[in-house]
Amino acid sequence: MLGEPAPGEQIVSLRDPGSYLDQTYPGARVGDRYFRGSGSSQAAAVASGGIALLLQKRPTLTPDQVKALLKSTATALPGGVGELNLAAAVKAATPATVQSAGTAAGVGSLESARGSNHVVHDNQQLVGEFDIFGGFNSAVWAQAARNGTSWNGGVWMGRRMAGDGWTGTSWASRTWAPAAWAGESWADEAWYDDTWSGHYWSGGTWSGHYWSGHYWSSSTWSAKRWK
């Protein structure tokens, strides 16, 4: 990402044969195994890993201090950008840095957050102040989040997301509780069960015969067990 101390352009990573990007941009393939992308996803991973290592060494750093350290110690590159330099960041003195930006209120526009990217289903774009379940009011959600009421068991803002083993912050049990998608829609386009093919999870077990609960049914890998 330009302006940030992590790689952000023309990053080579593993190719996903047959994927949308692989088929749409065949010129981005590097040999048969790799693919050259725009880089933002890889940049996020590199930056996150660097921050984790920095905090492992200096766990008392604040988010503002971490940002200041990474930016001030980055190796300068042409164009006014920098490259992550963890060795320098670890050795640098802790800055007395506090950002002046105000605390986010969570009442912004959902559509504005999407930028130019929109989910498309059957040629119908998801646009405006809507999520896949219908209308979304950010002010109502922000207030519920502050009050700790946005989640009620497995229901988020009145919409079933998971079984009631979900408490809003963690799973209360290690099994999948019953929770069904009710065919909710956006722009009169519904999600149906036949969209999903293959096998299903049932309770805590896989419907195939080789995985049960938390264990492989055999302690070894063999032609009989792996297909």
Side-chain angles (χ1 to χ4, degrees):
M1 293 174 284
L2 293 178
E4 297 296 331
E9 288 187 346
Q10 302 296 302
I11 305 299
V12 176
S13 185
L14 289 174
R15 176 187 167 210
D16 184 8
S19 66
Y20 172 81
L21 290 177
D22 184 59
Q23 294 180 3
T24 306
Y25 304 102
R29 296 173 187 168
V30 180
D32 293 330
R33 188 177 182 187
Y34 298 102
F35 192 89
R36 187 182 301 278
S38 62
S40 59
S41 296
Q42 291 94 327
V46 171
S48 298
I51 291 168
L53 292 172
L54 184 59
L55 289 174
Q56 187 178 38
K57 288 288 187 181
R58 300 165 68 172
T60 61
L61 292 174
T62 67
D64 288 348
Q65 290 170 337
V66 169
K67 181 178 179 179
L69 276 173
L70 294 182
K71 293 184 69 174
S72 64
T73 59
T75 301
L77 297 175
V81 297
E83 183 178 48
L84 202 67
N85 189 333
L86 281 179
V90 168
K91 296 176 183 178
T94 300
T97 302
V98 177
Q99 295 187 114
S100 59
T103 302
V107 295
S109 164
L110 187 61
E111 175 61 21
S112 296
R114 294 188 178 107
S116 59
N117 298 313
H118 293 82
V119 174
V120 178
H121 177 61
D122 287 345
N123 296 318
Q124 176 68 50
Q125 280 193 337
L126 178 58
V127 298
E129 302 308 302
F130 294 87
D131 60 23
I132 63 172
F133 298 102
F136 179 81
N137 187 314
S138 60
V140 172
W141 166 79
Q143 186 62 55
R146 285 192 293 271
N147 295 340
T149 58
S150 58
W151 279 98
N152 180 17
V155 176
W156 179 79
M157 298 300 292
R159 298 158 180 174
R160 171 65 65 180
M161 297 290 184
D164 288 331
W166 174 252
T167 66
T169 57
S170 63
W171 286 101
S173 63
R174 290 180 292 179
T175 61
W176 293 92
W181 294 91
E184 299 292 342
S185 64
W186 81 73
D188 298 324
E189 295 293 336
W191 295 85
Y192 296 104
D193 181 66
D194 58 9
T195 302
W196 296 92
S197 61
H199 299 287
Y200 298 86
W201 286 92
S202 175
T205 63
W206 177 247
S207 57
H209 300 295
Y210 304 121
W211 173 257
S212 176
H214 307 289
Y215 306 100
W216 289 100
S217 56
S218 171
S219 60
T220 60
W221 295 81
S222 68
K224 296 180 180 179
R225 300 296 182 185
W226 182 256
K227 296 183 180 179

